[in-house]
Amino acid sequence: MTILVTGGAGYIGSHTCVELLQKGYEVVIADNFVNSSMDVPERIARITGKMPKVFELDVADSHALDLVFAENHIGAVIHFAGLKAVGESCQIPLRYYRNNLDTTLTLLETMERHGCKKLVFSSSATVYGPKNECPYTEDMPTSATNPYGWTKVMIEQILRDYCAANPEFSAVLLRYFNPIGAHESGLLGDDPNGIPNNLMPYVARVAAGQLPRLTVFGDDYPTRDGSCLRDYLHVVDLAKGHLSALEYAASHTGAEAFNLGTGEGISVLELVHSFQEVNGVPVPFVIGGRRDGDLAEVYANPSRAREELHWTAEKTLDDMCRDSWHFIQTRKAER
Ligand code: NAD
Ligand code: UD1
């Protein structure tokens, strides 16, 4: 079967392309490389021995997307393409709404024209909003605190409405918790431009001497060591979750949400200590004030994914720390 992977050159998309190719799927990537590097497809080929087909296009460009469907027999789509920086989404909200909603609407219209009825969508734990209590379950009400988060809430609603009107359609809404880590080859990983916003890329750059120190955003939360708890999962486990979702979509219709997380909350300080211990490198840090909008704890109840997708996260925090370090060292050596 051929899978169209929108945003397939990005962090999670590229790892998912590797898993798909290794399982024998044909892969077509559609990406405009607004937040990824043009050499990613070739890196995917170095790992898998197979070069994915690549279309450089904006997924909101319906004419360009039509050609992709016309030239390839697409059996299902995994839709990663989107903008994802929370802070930036508050500064330029219209760009986030335009990009994330337009790509999804254009994709659905194009799929409809070509009779493609299976979609896996990258949603986020951010849709649980500030009011629900952890561990989050999929039946909780959704909301958001920033434009990025609202695009995820809105797209989930669009997909529910579309499925209600099209009973043969299947939309699997995957709510990712905090993916970190990298491919064990060191060839793929999270390599944001500029100063990272997220914890693990920041820690890795401090350890590599590219940034002076980490600021831990708050140690006065009501958690076991005062720093925030998050449900970190290895990006390769997350990538495998998409293959489970495709199998699920093959035998189910309707819009269904699944948490992809480990179910375990790890604190910022625990992550920093593990990184130092596993890799034998210092990560200098200072304690700073809380970051606006941060919640004390965010972790999943992952039972639904275990029972219905037959998926569980298998890799450990040590694996995540080791692979992130290996990736940044490989990157450094390449430069
Ligand atoms: P990423 O930025 O690395 O990948 C997204 C890819 O989409 C990039 O390659 C980018 O160039 C591409 N893209 C963006 N807009 C496009 C457009 N209009 N047309 C074509 N390509 C476009 O991000 P990621 O971390 O791999 O995240 C993938 C998806 O998962 C996103 O939708 C994101 O919101 C969601 N998500 C990510 C996380 C996380 O922690 N990384 C958590 C929850 C949800
Ligand atoms: C953030 C987004 C979330 C998005 C996810 C993945 C917010 C409020 N949430 O999640 O919507 O889906 O990224 O892109 O932005 N931390 C530090 N120092 C740092 C960086 C982070 O202490 O320099 C702490 C944070 O306070 C947090 C934890 O590390 O407690 C994880 O932060 P981060 O990696 O940014 O992820 P989230 O905030 O969970």
Side-chain angles (χ1 to χ4, degrees):
M1 197 208 268
T2 302
I3 312 296
L4 172 62
V5 185
T6 75
Y11 173 48
I12 307 170
S14 59
H15 288 84
T16 303
C17 288
V18 167
E19 297 303 316
L20 288 167
L21 288 162
Q22 286 178 337
K23 272 271 149 57
Y25 288 97
E26 298 290 319
V27 171
V28 174
I29 292 175
D31 202 304
N32 63 0
F33 298 94
V34 69
N35 197 39
S36 48
S37 161
M38 299 284 279
D39 68 359
V40 166
E42 190 258 317
R43 289 166 178 272
I44 293 171
R46 274 165 71 191
I47 296 169
T48 62
K50 294 177 210 158
M51 187 68 184
K53 243 189 193 182
V54 182
F55 290 83
E56 184 182 353
L57 54 79
D58 188 323
V59 176
D61 177 345
S62 92
H63 180 66
L65 202 59
D66 242 339
L67 292 179
V68 176
F69 277 84
E71 280 179 24
N72 300 279
H73 187 68
I74 306 291
V77 180
I78 309 181
H79 180 35
F80 294 103
L83 299 175
K84 64 161 184 178
V86 172
E88 189 182 64
S89 80
C90 298
Q91 288 150 10
I92 43 171
L94 295 185
R95 180 153 179 246
Y96 271 69
Y97 285 115
R98 173 67 75 192
N99 190 73
N100 292 2
L101 296 177
D102 262 7
T103 49
T104 308
L105 293 170
T106 302
L107 177 62
L108 284 172
E109 287 166 353
T110 311
M111 288 174 73
E112 187 170 279
R113 278 198 296 281
H114 293 270
C116 182
K117 297 191 170 77
K118 303 202 178 307
L119 177 70
V120 177
F121 171 64
S122 298
S123 189
S124 166
T126 198
V127 302
Y128 289 109
K131 293 208 180 111
N132 291 306
E133 282 203 7
C134 289
Y136 297 142
T137 51
E138 290 84 350
D139 54 357
M140 288 176 167
T142 57
S143 73
T145 55
N146 55 71
Y148 164 74
W150 280 116
T151 68
K152 297 296 180 192
V153 173
M154 289 175 184
I155 292 168
E156 285 202 358
Q157 187 59 44
I158 290 168
L159 292 172
R160 274 192 215 94
D161 291 344
Y162 187 72
C163 286
N166 296 276
E168 290 176 0
F169 198 88
S170 175
V172 186
L173 320 177
L174 298 181
R175 295 177 178 167
Y176 311 154
F177 281 68
N178 287 59
I180 59 171
H183 194 265
E184 63 180 5
S185 63
L187 290 170
L188 298 173
D190 194 7
D191 190 23
N193 293 328
I195 296 177
N197 297 309
N198 297 118
L199 180 62
M200 183 55 105
Y202 205 107
V203 166
R205 286 195 196 177
V206 171
Q210 297 168 354
L211 289 168
R213 73 192 68 78
L214 170 77
T215 301
V216 174
F217 296 143
D219 69 347
D220 57 350
Y221 285 97
T223 60
R224 51 184 178 262
D225 62 19
S227 65
C228 294
L229 301 183
R230 293 290 180 273
D231 187 335
Y232 297 100
L233 78 160
H234 198 293
V235 66
V236 171
D237 278 335
L238 179 60
K240 289 180 177 162
H242 294 77
L243 276 72
S244 306
L246 284 176
E247 280 167 29
Y248 179 88
S251 54
H252 294 78
T253 55
E256 296 293 340
F258 295 94
N259 290 337
L260 296 187
T262 64
E264 200 194 337
I266 304 285
S267 79
V268 176
L269 292 170
E270 286 165 350
L271 185 145
V272 172
H273 292 316
S274 294
F275 193 98
Q276 298 187 116
E277 234 169 76
V278 171
N279 298 318
V281 282
V283 178
F285 67 88
V286 291
I287 306 293
R290 293 181 176 195
R291 180 172 69 176
D292 266 1
D294 269 346
L295 300 172
E297 49 179 36
V298 173
Y299 56 92
N301 175 334
S303 346
R304 185 156 194 237
R306 188 177 59 236
E307 284 154 20
E308 295 185 42
L309 298 183
H310 312 295
W311 174 90
T312 41
E314 284 167 1
K315 289 181 182 273
T316 63
L317 181 60
D318 285 1
D319 296 329
M320 303 176 212
C321 292
R322 200 190 43 244
D323 292 339
S324 292
W325 180 229
H326 180 46
F327 171 67
I328 196 144
Q329 283 180 305
T330 311
R331 263 292 201 248
K332 227 174 139 184
E334 283 171 357
R335 283 192 175 120

